Amino acid sequence: EVELLHAGVAALNEADAVDRDTAWTAKDTALHLVHQVRRSPGRDIAYNAFVSQQGQGLTDFATWSVLCTMHGPDWREWPADLQNPRSDAVAALRRTHSDEVDYYCWLQWVLDEQLRAVQDEARGSGMAVGLMQDLAVGVHPDGADAWGLQDVLAHGINVGAPPDAFNQQGQNWSQPPWRPDRLAETGYAAYRDLLRTVVRHAGGLRVDHIIGLFRLWWIPQGRPPTEGTYVRYDHEALVGILALEAVRAGAVLVGEDLGTVEPWVRDYLRDRGILGTSVLWFEYDEAGNPLHPEHWRELCLATVTTHDLPPTAGYLAGDHVRLRDTLGLLTRDVDEEMVLDTAERQAW
């Protein structure tokens, strides 16, 4: 088995393109072989402590991973009695497939140890922050979180953003939002567990769309982003828990506070020691002219661009206007849009 694995990996290394499916199959085979090796007593104690500490969230993720290998990646298409993580059928599967469930728990333990080792190395070498993790705005609707946290996520709803200058038709991110009522009723347990896990071995955390802790743009499934509405959250609870877990972990917080933001929100976050985000193309003075860097907000992560924006070279060439036109994403005539875009670039 090891020889076959070695031959397969050698072929992958010689290929011109990345064959991700074959690569994962090879990795999965190798990791199963390592998992079968008997652990020392000390390692076994450490592993069992990790599983106990991570609790239901880890067990649910490992169970979802096993079910994916059996029934495909979309849990909403599984047999009905397996779609509920608390069903008797799911509990029975954990017993009959305990070795596979343990395998996926073990993978998370290995990953956790590697993250801790990297962070220790980074801090030991003199880095003040070391690893900075990223907290996404939401979860994939087919994924483990959506399956395991059905009781606190809104069904039939997608998160997105209303129309703005960069996305004239709005945005639909195809992610189920937290239900504010269920979060409160459950003492924010799922949210607390999420934060505690993501900052466990990090010196910093970037919170994507941090204004979502105040309000989120809810879009009924099947409707365009223009027909969404804002739903408010208990920001004092959400921001308070975020700050608490960061302090416990000794991690700095950077909030991505871009987009349609109520002005007081940035002051609220700044007053609680949460850094902001400034992007070159969004910084204007009151007259609408490009803002000189010395007048930018302090205590911010400042960048030229982000993953949501066109590459700078493409932006300077106007490629993003032409591309959006071909995709039908403009609400103005392409020539009119190009004139406005050219004037903006000349101002910069």
Side-chain angles (χ1 to χ4, degrees):
E1 189 171 7
V2 174
E3 291 179 356
L4 290 174
L5 177 64
H6 179 75
V9 171
L12 286 172
N13 289 337
E14 295 173 0
D16 293 333
V18 178
D19 184 348
R20 299 189 184 279
D21 290 342
T22 303
W24 167 243
T25 300
K27 291 178 181 180
D28 188 46
T29 302
L31 289 166
H32 268 94
L33 291 173
V34 178
H35 176 244
Q36 293 166 12
V37 176
R38 185 180 182 87
R39 290 186 292 269
S40 68
R43 295 282 290 166
D44 205 47
I45 291 173
Y47 171 61
N48 289 326
F50 172 79
V51 172
S52 176
Q53 183 182 50
Q54 296 303 306
Q56 190 67 49
L58 176 63
T59 302
D60 283 348
F61 174 77
T63 305
W64 174 86
S65 299
V66 174
L67 285 166
C68 280
T69 65
M70 301 169 63
H71 301 290
D74 187 350
W75 60 270
R76 293 167 296 186
E77 297 180 357
W78 295 350
D81 56 355
L82 297 176
Q83 293 182 19
N84 180 357
R86 305 292 166 254
S87 70
D88 292 339
V90 170
L93 180 132
R94 286 197 184 106
R95 293 191 296 269
T96 57
H97 293 73
S98 58
D99 286 345
E100 277 298 290
V101 172
D102 183 76
Y103 167 69
Y104 287 106
C105 289
W106 173 80
L107 284 181
Q108 292 300 302
W109 178 56
V110 172
L111 171 61
D112 186 78
E113 285 197 320
Q114 291 176 348
L115 286 173
R116 182 181 62 190
V118 171
Q119 178 65 352
D120 289 346
E121 182 73 18
R123 296 296 292 271
S125 67
M127 296 179 70
V129 173
L131 289 178
M132 175 168 279
Q133 292 280 20
D134 190 281
L135 180 63
V137 65
V139 300
H140 196 290
D142 300 347
D145 299 279
W147 176 72
L149 300 175
Q150 295 176 54
D151 60 329
V152 292
L153 294 174
H155 303 285
I157 299 291
N158 288 331
V159 172
D164 57 30
F166 278 80
N167 293 279
Q168 298 170 10
Q169 297 185 19
Q171 301 175 59
N172 185 332
W173 303 331
S174 302
Q175 299 168 334
W178 294 113
R179 280 183 51 175
D181 58 336
R182 289 296 296 150
L183 280 178
E185 290 167 6
T186 56
Y188 296 88
Y191 176 68
R192 287 187 283 112
D193 290 344
L194 169 68
L195 293 176
R196 194 171 298 132
T197 300
V198 78
V199 297
R200 179 176 167 88
H201 301 305
L205 177 66
R206 174 193 174 273
V207 182
D208 191 31
H209 196 62
I210 197 170
I211 55 178
L213 302 183
F214 297 79
R215 64 180 186 178
L216 276 174
W217 188 252
W218 282 32
I219 308 167
Q221 286 182 359
R223 308 306 301 173
T226 52
E227 296 183 19
T229 188
Y230 277 117
V231 173
R232 292 197 175 273
Y233 289 78
D234 185 344
H235 63 273
E236 291 187 347
L238 292 175
V239 175
I241 294 169
L242 173 65
L244 175 62
E245 295 302 334
V247 168
R248 284 176 169 171
V252 65
L253 292 171
V254 176
E256 191 237 3
D257 51 356
L258 305 173
T260 306
V261 186
E262 296 171 289
W264 66 272
V265 166
R266 288 180 172 138
D267 296 335
Y268 184 91
L269 294 171
R270 182 200 60 220
D271 291 346
R272 282 149 186 82
I274 300 175
L275 309 182
T277 300
S278 288
V279 178
L280 179 67
W281 314 117
F282 296 163
E283 297 295 336
Y284 293 95
D285 61 21
E286 295 180 356
N289 299 312
L291 189 65
H292 288 265
E294 59 267 27
H295 299 303
W296 285 19
R297 291 185 293 156
E298 295 181 341
L299 301 177
C300 284
L301 172 68
T303 65
V304 173
T305 190
T306 76
H307 63 284
D308 288 322
L309 299 175
T312 300
Y315 176 77
L316 294 174
D319 291 342
H320 62 298
V321 176
R322 289 181 284 271
L323 177 60
R324 284 186 292 166
D325 179 52
T326 59
L327 296 175
L329 299 178
L330 295 179
T331 57
R332 289 186 290 258
D333 179 78
V334 64
D335 293 330
E336 180 186 358
E337 186 74 23
M338 189 63 80
V339 169
L340 295 171
D341 187 74
T342 300
E344 181 181 85
R345 281 184 279 124
Q346 288 176 344
W348 282 109

PDB file of all heavy atoms in Angstrom, residues 52-85:
ATOM      1  N   SER A  52     -12.120  15.955  24.394  1.00  0.00           N
ATOM      2  CA  SER A  52     -13.026  16.349  25.471  1.00  0.00           C
ATOM      3  C   SER A  52     -13.213  17.859  25.500  1.00  0.00           C
ATOM      4  O   SER A  52     -14.330  18.357  25.679  1.00  0.00           O
ATOM      5  CB  SER A  52     -12.486  15.852  26.812  1.00  0.00           C
ATOM      6  OG  SER A  52     -13.295  16.291  27.882  1.00  0.00           O
ATOM      7  N   GLN A  53     -12.133  18.584  25.313  1.00  0.00           N
ATOM      8  CA  GLN A  53     -12.184  20.042  25.373  1.00  0.00           C
ATOM      9  C   GLN A  53     -13.000  20.626  24.225  1.00  0.00           C
ATOM     10  O   GLN A  53     -13.768  21.578  24.407  1.00  0.00           O
ATOM     11  CB  GLN A  53     -10.769  20.607  25.342  1.00  0.00           C
ATOM     12  CG  GLN A  53     -10.691  22.122  25.464  1.00  0.00           C
ATOM     13  CD  GLN A  53      -9.261  22.618  25.371  1.00  0.00           C
ATOM     14  OE1 GLN A  53      -8.524  22.250  24.463  1.00  0.00           O
ATOM     15  NE2 GLN A  53      -8.858  23.446  26.320  1.00  0.00           N
ATOM     16  N   GLN A  54     -12.866  20.072  23.027  1.00  0.00           N
ATOM     17  CA  GLN A  54     -13.560  20.610  21.858  1.00  0.00           C
ATOM     18  C   GLN A  54     -15.031  20.218  21.812  1.00  0.00           C
ATOM     19  O   GLN A  54     -15.831  20.884  21.153  1.00  0.00           O
ATOM     20  CB  GLN A  54     -12.848  20.159  20.577  1.00  0.00           C
ATOM     21  CG  GLN A  54     -11.431  20.689  20.450  1.00  0.00           C
ATOM     22  CD  GLN A  54     -11.376  22.201  20.520  1.00  0.00           C
ATOM     23  OE1 GLN A  54     -12.056  22.906  19.788  1.00  0.00           O
ATOM     24  NE2 GLN A  54     -10.561  22.723  21.440  1.00  0.00           N
ATOM     25  N   GLY A  55     -15.388  19.147  22.482  1.00  0.00           N
ATOM     26  CA  GLY A  55     -16.784  18.829  22.709  1.00  0.00           C
ATOM     27  C   GLY A  55     -17.608  18.507  21.475  1.00  0.00           C
ATOM     28  O   GLY A  55     -17.123  17.943  20.486  1.00  0.00           O
ATOM     29  N   GLN A  56     -18.882  18.931  21.528  1.00  0.00           N
ATOM     30  CA  GLN A  56     -19.858  18.559  20.520  1.00  0.00           C
ATOM     31  C   GLN A  56     -19.502  19.080  19.138  1.00  0.00           C
ATOM     32  O   GLN A  56     -19.770  18.432  18.125  1.00  0.00           O
ATOM     33  CB  GLN A  56     -21.247  19.074  20.918  1.00  0.00           C
ATOM     34  CG  GLN A  56     -22.380  18.534  20.065  1.00  0.00           C
ATOM     35  CD  GLN A  56     -22.585  17.041  20.250  1.00  0.00           C
ATOM     36  OE1 GLN A  56     -22.671  16.557  21.375  1.00  0.00           O
ATOM     37  NE2 GLN A  56     -22.647  16.296  19.155  1.00  0.00           N
ATOM     38  N   GLY A  57     -18.907  20.270  19.082  1.00  0.00           N
ATOM     39  CA  GLY A  57     -18.553  20.842  17.787  1.00  0.00           C
ATOM     40  C   GLY A  57     -17.606  19.949  17.008  1.00  0.00           C
ATOM     41  O   GLY A  57     -17.779  19.752  15.791  1.00  0.00           O
ATOM     42  N   LEU A  58     -16.593  19.413  17.674  1.00  0.00           N
ATOM     43  CA  LEU A  58     -15.639  18.528  17.018  1.00  0.00           C
ATOM     44  C   LEU A  58     -16.319  17.224  16.603  1.00  0.00           C
ATOM     45  O   LEU A  58     -16.114  16.736  15.482  1.00  0.00           O
ATOM     46  CB  LEU A  58     -14.462  18.230  17.954  1.00  0.00           C
ATOM     47  CG  LEU A  58     -13.427  17.228  17.444  1.00  0.00           C
ATOM     48  CD1 LEU A  58     -12.748  17.747  16.185  1.00  0.00           C
ATOM     49  CD2 LEU A  58     -12.391  16.921  18.525  1.00  0.00           C
ATOM     50  N   THR A  59     -17.129  16.664  17.492  1.00  0.00           N
ATOM     51  CA  THR A  59     -17.825  15.416  17.178  1.00  0.00           C
ATOM     52  C   THR A  59     -18.754  15.590  15.980  1.00  0.00           C
ATOM     53  O   THR A  59     -18.815  14.725  15.099  1.00  0.00           O
ATOM     54  CB  THR A  59     -18.631  14.942  18.392  1.00  0.00           C
ATOM     55  OG1 THR A  59     -17.752  14.764  19.511  1.00  0.00           O
ATOM     56  CG2 THR A  59     -19.341  13.635  18.104  1.00  0.00           C
ATOM     57  N   ASP A  60     -19.464  16.710  15.941  1.00  0.00           N
ATOM     58  CA  ASP A  60     -20.364  16.966  14.814  1.00  0.00           C
ATOM     59  C   ASP A  60     -19.585  17.093  13.513  1.00  0.00           C
ATOM     60  O   ASP A  60     -20.005  16.567  12.472  1.00  0.00           O
ATOM     61  CB  ASP A  60     -21.167  18.246  15.060  1.00  0.00           C
ATOM     62  CG  ASP A  60     -22.308  18.043  16.036  1.00  0.00           C
ATOM     63  OD1 ASP A  60     -22.629  16.884  16.356  1.00  0.00           O
ATOM     64  OD2 ASP A  60     -22.884  19.053  16.495  1.00  0.00           O
ATOM     65  N   PHE A  61     -18.458  17.808  13.554  1.00  0.00           N
ATOM     66  CA  PHE A  61     -17.667  17.971  12.335  1.00  0.00           C
ATOM     67  C   PHE A  61     -17.155  16.624  11.836  1.00  0.00           C
ATOM     68  O   PHE A  61     -17.212  16.328  10.631  1.00  0.00           O
ATOM     69  CB  PHE A  61     -16.480  18.909  12.576  1.00  0.00           C
ATOM     70  CG  PHE A  61     -15.557  19.005  11.393  1.00  0.00           C
ATOM     71  CD1 PHE A  61     -15.897  19.777  10.289  1.00  0.00           C
ATOM     72  CD2 PHE A  61     -14.368  18.294  11.364  1.00  0.00           C
ATOM     73  CE1 PHE A  61     -15.067  19.840   9.176  1.00  0.00           C
ATOM     74  CE2 PHE A  61     -13.523  18.351  10.260  1.00  0.00           C
ATOM     75  CZ  PHE A  61     -13.875  19.134   9.171  1.00  0.00           C
ATOM     76  N   ALA A  62     -16.650  15.800  12.740  1.00  0.00           N
ATOM     77  CA  ALA A  62     -16.129  14.489  12.342  1.00  0.00           C
ATOM     78  C   ALA A  62     -17.246  13.610  11.790  1.00  0.00           C
ATOM     79  O   ALA A  62     -17.058  12.897  10.789  1.00  0.00           O
ATOM     80  CB  ALA A  62     -15.458  13.820  13.537  1.00  0.00           C
ATOM     81  N   THR A  63     -18.414  13.676  12.406  1.00  0.00           N
ATOM     82  CA  THR A  63     -19.558  12.888  11.930  1.00  0.00           C
ATOM     83  C   THR A  63     -19.990  13.356  10.548  1.00  0.00           C
ATOM     84  O   THR A  63     -20.261  12.544   9.651  1.00  0.00           O
ATOM     85  CB  THR A  63     -20.724  13.005  12.911  1.00  0.00           C
ATOM     86  OG1 THR A  63     -20.298  12.629  14.221  1.00  0.00           O
ATOM     87  CG2 THR A  63     -21.884  12.119  12.481  1.00  0.00           C
ATOM     88  N   TRP A  64     -20.069  14.663  10.359  1.00  0.00           N
ATOM     89  CA  TRP A  64     -20.414  15.218   9.043  1.00  0.00           C
ATOM     90  C   TRP A  64     -19.410  14.758   7.988  1.00  0.00           C
ATOM     91  O   TRP A  64     -19.798  14.416   6.861  1.00  0.00           O
ATOM     92  CB  TRP A  64     -20.433  16.744   9.133  1.00  0.00           C
ATOM     93  CG  TRP A  64     -20.620  17.453   7.835  1.00  0.00           C
ATOM     94  CD1 TRP A  64     -21.801  17.761   7.216  1.00  0.00           C
ATOM     95  CD2 TRP A  64     -19.581  17.955   6.969  1.00  0.00           C
ATOM     96  NE1 TRP A  64     -21.566  18.420   6.026  1.00  0.00           N
ATOM     97  CE2 TRP A  64     -20.213  18.550   5.851  1.00  0.00           C
ATOM     98  CE3 TRP A  64     -18.191  17.967   7.055  1.00  0.00           C
ATOM     99  CZ2 TRP A  64     -19.492  19.144   4.821  1.00  0.00           C
ATOM    100  CZ3 TRP A  64     -17.474  18.548   6.022  1.00  0.00           C
ATOM    101  CH2 TRP A  64     -18.108  19.135   4.927  1.00  0.00           C
ATOM    102  N   SER A  65     -18.132  14.723   8.335  1.00  0.00           N
ATOM    103  CA  SER A  65     -17.097  14.291   7.385  1.00  0.00           C
ATOM    104  C   SER A  65     -17.316  12.846   6.955  1.00  0.00           C
ATOM    105  O   SER A  65     -17.164  12.512   5.767  1.00  0.00           O
ATOM    106  CB  SER A  65     -15.715  14.450   8.024  1.00  0.00           C
ATOM    107  OG  SER A  65     -15.452  15.786   8.369  1.00  0.00           O
ATOM    108  N   VAL A  66     -17.667  11.991   7.911  1.00  0.00           N
ATOM    109  CA  VAL A  66     -17.934  10.592   7.582  1.00  0.00           C
ATOM    110  C   VAL A  66     -19.163  10.477   6.687  1.00  0.00           C
ATOM    111  O   VAL A  66     -19.167   9.757   5.671  1.00  0.00           O
ATOM    112  CB  VAL A  66     -18.137   9.764   8.868  1.00  0.00           C
ATOM    113  CG1 VAL A  66     -18.575   8.334   8.522  1.00  0.00           C
ATOM    114  CG2 VAL A  66     -16.856   9.731   9.688  1.00  0.00           C
ATOM    115  N   LEU A  67     -20.212  11.220   7.029  1.00  0.00           N
ATOM    116  CA  LEU A  67     -21.441  11.165   6.246  1.00  0.00           C
ATOM    117  C   LEU A  67     -21.225  11.671   4.815  1.00  0.00           C
ATOM    118  O   LEU A  67     -21.849  11.176   3.870  1.00  0.00           O
ATOM    119  CB  LEU A  67     -22.529  11.978   6.936  1.00  0.00           C
ATOM    120  CG  LEU A  67     -23.150  11.313   8.169  1.00  0.00           C
ATOM    121  CD1 LEU A  67     -23.964  12.320   8.972  1.00  0.00           C
ATOM    122  CD2 LEU A  67     -24.011  10.130   7.763  1.00  0.00           C
ATOM    123  N   CYS A  68     -20.340  12.653   4.659  1.00  0.00           N
ATOM    124  CA  CYS A  68     -20.034  13.163   3.318  1.00  0.00           C
ATOM    125  C   CYS A  68     -19.418  12.083   2.435  1.00  0.00           C
ATOM    126  O   CYS A  68     -19.705  12.009   1.237  1.00  0.00           O
ATOM    127  CB  CYS A  68     -19.088  14.359   3.407  1.00  0.00           C
ATOM    128  SG  CYS A  68     -19.901  15.904   3.836  1.00  0.00           S
ATOM    129  N   THR A  69     -18.550  11.274   3.022  1.00  0.00           N
ATOM    130  CA  THR A  69     -17.928  10.206   2.237  1.00  0.00           C
ATOM    131  C   THR A  69     -18.951   9.147   1.830  1.00  0.00           C
ATOM    132  O   THR A  69     -18.758   8.441   0.837  1.00  0.00           O
ATOM    133  CB  THR A  69     -16.792   9.532   3.030  1.00  0.00           C
ATOM    134  OG1 THR A  69     -17.339   8.868   4.180  1.00  0.00           O
ATOM    135  CG2 THR A  69     -15.764  10.555   3.492  1.00  0.00           C
ATOM    136  N   MET A  70     -20.056   9.054   2.580  1.00  0.00           N
ATOM    137  CA  MET A  70     -21.068   8.035   2.323  1.00  0.00           C
ATOM    138  C   MET A  70     -22.195   8.542   1.419  1.00  0.00           C
ATOM    139  O   MET A  70     -22.706   7.808   0.571  1.00  0.00           O
ATOM    140  CB  MET A  70     -21.661   7.534   3.642  1.00  0.00           C
ATOM    141  CG  MET A  70     -20.641   6.928   4.584  1.00  0.00           C
ATOM    142  SD  MET A  70     -21.337   6.635   6.240  1.00  0.00           S
ATOM    143  CE  MET A  70     -22.611   5.437   5.855  1.00  0.00           C
ATOM    144  N   HIS A  71     -22.585   9.817   1.593  1.00  0.00           N
ATOM    145  CA  HIS A  71     -23.806  10.305   0.942  1.00  0.00           C
ATOM    146  C   HIS A  71     -23.598  11.576   0.124  1.00  0.00           C
ATOM    147  O   HIS A  71     -24.575  12.151  -0.368  1.00  0.00           O
ATOM    148  CB  HIS A  71     -24.889  10.557   1.993  1.00  0.00           C
ATOM    149  CG  HIS A  71     -25.261   9.348   2.788  1.00  0.00           C
ATOM    150  ND1 HIS A  71     -25.956   8.288   2.243  1.00  0.00           N
ATOM    151  CD2 HIS A  71     -25.015   9.020   4.087  1.00  0.00           C
ATOM    152  CE1 HIS A  71     -26.141   7.355   3.174  1.00  0.00           C
ATOM    153  NE2 HIS A  71     -25.582   7.773   4.302  1.00  0.00           N
ATOM    154  N   GLY A  72     -22.368  12.044  -0.026  1.00  0.00           N
ATOM    155  CA  GLY A  72     -22.123  13.246  -0.811  1.00  0.00           C
ATOM    156  C   GLY A  72     -22.031  14.489   0.047  1.00  0.00           C
ATOM    157  O   GLY A  72     -22.350  14.476   1.240  1.00  0.00           O
ATOM    158  N   PRO A  73     -21.588  15.601  -0.544  1.00  0.00           N
ATOM    159  CA  PRO A  73     -21.248  16.794   0.241  1.00  0.00           C
ATOM    160  C   PRO A  73     -22.424  17.657   0.686  1.00  0.00           C
ATOM    161  O   PRO A  73     -22.257  18.527   1.537  1.00  0.00           O
ATOM    162  CB  PRO A  73     -20.345  17.584  -0.722  1.00  0.00           C
ATOM    163  CG  PRO A  73     -20.828  17.190  -2.088  1.00  0.00           C
ATOM    164  CD  PRO A  73     -21.237  15.748  -1.962  1.00  0.00           C
ATOM    165  N   ASP A  74     -23.626  17.474   0.117  1.00  0.00           N
ATOM    166  CA  ASP A  74     -24.765  18.324   0.470  1.00  0.00           C
ATOM    167  C   ASP A  74     -25.658  17.579   1.458  1.00  0.00           C
ATOM    168  O   ASP A  74     -26.417  16.677   1.073  1.00  0.00           O
ATOM    169  CB  ASP A  74     -25.550  18.702  -0.786  1.00  0.00           C
ATOM    170  CG  ASP A  74     -26.646  19.727  -0.503  1.00  0.00           C
ATOM    171  OD1 ASP A  74     -26.928  19.996   0.691  1.00  0.00           O
ATOM    172  OD2 ASP A  74     -27.220  20.272  -1.459  1.00  0.00           O
ATOM    173  N   TRP A  75     -25.609  17.974   2.717  1.00  0.00           N
ATOM    174  CA  TRP A  75     -26.361  17.253   3.749  1.00  0.00           C
ATOM    175  C   TRP A  75     -27.874  17.335   3.538  1.00  0.00           C
ATOM    176  O   TRP A  75     -28.628  16.479   4.033  1.00  0.00           O
ATOM    177  CB  TRP A  75     -26.004  17.785   5.135  1.00  0.00           C
ATOM    178  CG  TRP A  75     -26.295  19.243   5.365  1.00  0.00           C
ATOM    179  CD1 TRP A  75     -25.463  20.294   5.140  1.00  0.00           C
ATOM    180  CD2 TRP A  75     -27.514  19.804   5.879  1.00  0.00           C
ATOM    181  NE1 TRP A  75     -26.080  21.484   5.475  1.00  0.00           N
ATOM    182  CE2 TRP A  75     -27.332  21.210   5.950  1.00  0.00           C
ATOM    183  CE3 TRP A  75     -28.726  19.259   6.303  1.00  0.00           C
ATOM    184  CZ2 TRP A  75     -28.323  22.072   6.399  1.00  0.00           C
ATOM    185  CZ3 TRP A  75     -29.721  20.119   6.768  1.00  0.00           C
ATOM    186  CH2 TRP A  75     -29.519  21.498   6.809  1.00  0.00           C
ATOM    187  N   ARG A  76     -28.321  18.326   2.790  1.00  0.00           N
ATOM    188  CA  ARG A  76     -29.764  18.465   2.549  1.00  0.00           C
ATOM    189  C   ARG A  76     -30.283  17.407   1.586  1.00  0.00           C
ATOM    190  O   ARG A  76     -31.505  17.248   1.434  1.00  0.00           O
ATOM    191  CB  ARG A  76     -30.059  19.873   2.019  1.00  0.00           C
ATOM    192  CG  ARG A  76     -29.787  20.965   3.063  1.00  0.00           C
ATOM    193  CD  ARG A  76     -29.764  22.343   2.452  1.00  0.00           C
ATOM    194  NE  ARG A  76     -28.665  22.508   1.494  1.00  0.00           N
ATOM    195  CZ  ARG A  76     -28.350  23.646   0.911  1.00  0.00           C
ATOM    196  NH1 ARG A  76     -29.049  24.734   1.187  1.00  0.00           N
ATOM    197  NH2 ARG A  76     -27.349  23.722   0.058  1.00  0.00           N
ATOM    198  N   GLU A  77     -29.366  16.668   0.930  1.00  0.00           N
ATOM    199  CA  GLU A  77     -29.756  15.574   0.036  1.00  0.00           C
ATOM    200  C   GLU A  77     -29.507  14.209   0.661  1.00  0.00           C
ATOM    201  O   GLU A  77     -29.717  13.185   0.022  1.00  0.00           O
ATOM    202  CB  GLU A  77     -28.989  15.694  -1.287  1.00  0.00           C
ATOM    203  CG  GLU A  77     -29.315  16.966  -2.058  1.00  0.00           C
ATOM    204  CD  GLU A  77     -28.563  17.078  -3.369  1.00  0.00           C
ATOM    205  OE1 GLU A  77     -27.732  16.175  -3.647  1.00  0.00           O
ATOM    206  OE2 GLU A  77     -28.786  18.041  -4.115  1.00  0.00           O
ATOM    207  N   TRP A  78     -29.084  14.170   1.928  1.00  0.00           N
ATOM    208  CA  TRP A  78     -28.892  12.894   2.626  1.00  0.00           C
ATOM    209  C   TRP A  78     -30.258  12.292   2.973  1.00  0.00           C
ATOM    210  O   TRP A  78     -31.291  12.973   2.914  1.00  0.00           O
ATOM    211  CB  TRP A  78     -28.104  13.113   3.918  1.00  0.00           C
ATOM    212  CG  TRP A  78     -26.701  13.585   3.741  1.00  0.00           C
ATOM    213  CD1 TRP A  78     -25.981  13.663   2.587  1.00  0.00           C
ATOM    214  CD2 TRP A  78     -25.840  14.065   4.777  1.00  0.00           C
ATOM    215  NE1 TRP A  78     -24.726  14.148   2.833  1.00  0.00           N
ATOM    216  CE2 TRP A  78     -24.606  14.408   4.171  1.00  0.00           C
ATOM    217  CE3 TRP A  78     -25.983  14.243   6.144  1.00  0.00           C
ATOM    218  CZ2 TRP A  78     -23.528  14.910   4.897  1.00  0.00           C
ATOM    219  CZ3 TRP A  78     -24.917  14.739   6.885  1.00  0.00           C
ATOM    220  CH2 TRP A  78     -23.697  15.071   6.263  1.00  0.00           C
ATOM    221  N   PRO A  79     -30.282  11.011   3.368  1.00  0.00           N
ATOM    222  CA  PRO A  79     -31.525  10.446   3.908  1.00  0.00           C
ATOM    223  C   PRO A  79     -32.073  11.321   5.032  1.00  0.00           C
ATOM    224  O   PRO A  79     -31.314  11.888   5.819  1.00  0.00           O
ATOM    225  CB  PRO A  79     -31.074   9.075   4.423  1.00  0.00           C
ATOM    226  CG  PRO A  79     -29.890   8.723   3.563  1.00  0.00           C
ATOM    227  CD  PRO A  79     -29.185  10.021   3.292  1.00  0.00           C
ATOM    228  N   ALA A  80     -33.374  11.438   5.101  1.00  0.00           N
ATOM    229  CA  ALA A  80     -34.018  12.391   6.004  1.00  0.00           C
ATOM    230  C   ALA A  80     -33.576  12.212   7.450  1.00  0.00           C
ATOM    231  O   ALA A  80     -33.379  13.199   8.185  1.00  0.00           O
ATOM    232  CB  ALA A  80     -35.535  12.261   5.890  1.00  0.00           C
ATOM    233  N   ASP A  81     -33.396  10.971   7.905  1.00  0.00           N
ATOM    234  CA  ASP A  81     -33.060  10.750   9.311  1.00  0.00           C
ATOM    235  C   ASP A  81     -31.603  11.094   9.628  1.00  0.00           C
ATOM    236  O   ASP A  81     -31.207  11.104  10.800  1.00  0.00           O
ATOM    237  CB  ASP A  81     -33.353   9.314   9.737  1.00  0.00           C
ATOM    238  CG  ASP A  81     -32.633   8.273   8.875  1.00  0.00           C
ATOM    239  OD1 ASP A  81     -31.972   8.666   7.879  1.00  0.00           O
ATOM    240  OD2 ASP A  81     -32.726   7.085   9.188  1.00  0.00           O
ATOM    241  N   LEU A  82     -30.805  11.393   8.595  1.00  0.00           N
ATOM    242  CA  LEU A  82     -29.415  11.804   8.819  1.00  0.00           C
ATOM    243  C   LEU A  82     -29.238  13.321   8.699  1.00  0.00           C
ATOM    244  O   LEU A  82     -28.149  13.833   8.977  1.00  0.00           O
ATOM    245  CB  LEU A  82     -28.481  11.109   7.834  1.00  0.00           C
ATOM    246  CG  LEU A  82     -28.406   9.582   7.930  1.00  0.00           C
ATOM    247  CD1 LEU A  82     -27.515   9.017   6.832  1.00  0.00           C
ATOM    248  CD2 LEU A  82     -27.898   9.142   9.307  1.00  0.00           C
ATOM    249  N   GLN A  83     -30.277  14.021   8.298  1.00  0.00           N
ATOM    250  CA  GLN A  83     -30.168  15.468   8.144  1.00  0.00           C
ATOM    251  C   GLN A  83     -30.218  16.200   9.481  1.00  0.00           C
ATOM    252  O   GLN A  83     -29.809  17.357   9.569  1.00  0.00           O
ATOM    253  CB  GLN A  83     -31.287  15.970   7.222  1.00  0.00           C
ATOM    254  CG  GLN A  83     -31.148  15.486   5.793  1.00  0.00           C
ATOM    255  CD  GLN A  83     -32.222  16.035   4.879  1.00  0.00           C
ATOM    256  OE1 GLN A  83     -32.875  17.028   5.183  1.00  0.00           O
ATOM    257  NE2 GLN A  83     -32.429  15.381   3.736  1.00  0.00           N
ATOM    258  N   ASN A  84     -30.710  15.524  10.512  1.00  0.00           N
ATOM    259  CA  ASN A  84     -30.754  16.101  11.855  1.00  0.00           C
ATOM    260  C   ASN A  84     -29.585  15.566  12.666  1.00  0.00           C
ATOM    261  O   ASN A  84     -29.510  14.360  12.937  1.00  0.00           O
ATOM    262  CB  ASN A  84     -32.070  15.741  12.531  1.00  0.00           C
ATOM    263  CG  ASN A  84     -32.184  16.307  13.937  1.00  0.00           C
ATOM    264  OD1 ASN A  84     -31.258  16.940  14.454  1.00  0.00           O
ATOM    265  ND2 ASN A  84     -33.313  16.085  14.574  1.00  0.00           N
ATOM    266  N   PRO A  85     -28.630  16.434  13.064  1.00  0.00           N
ATOM    267  CA  PRO A  85     -27.445  15.938  13.781  1.00  0.00           C
ATOM    268  C   PRO A  85     -27.750  15.310  15.134  1.00  0.00           C
ATOM    269  O   PRO A  85     -26.906  14.601  15.691  1.00  0.00           O
ATOM    270  CB  PRO A  85     -26.583  17.198  13.941  1.00  0.00           C
ATOM    271  CG  PRO A  85     -27.542  18.333  13.848  1.00  0.00           C
ATOM    272  CD  PRO A  85     -28.605  17.899  12.896  1.00  0.00           C
TER     273      PRO A  85
END
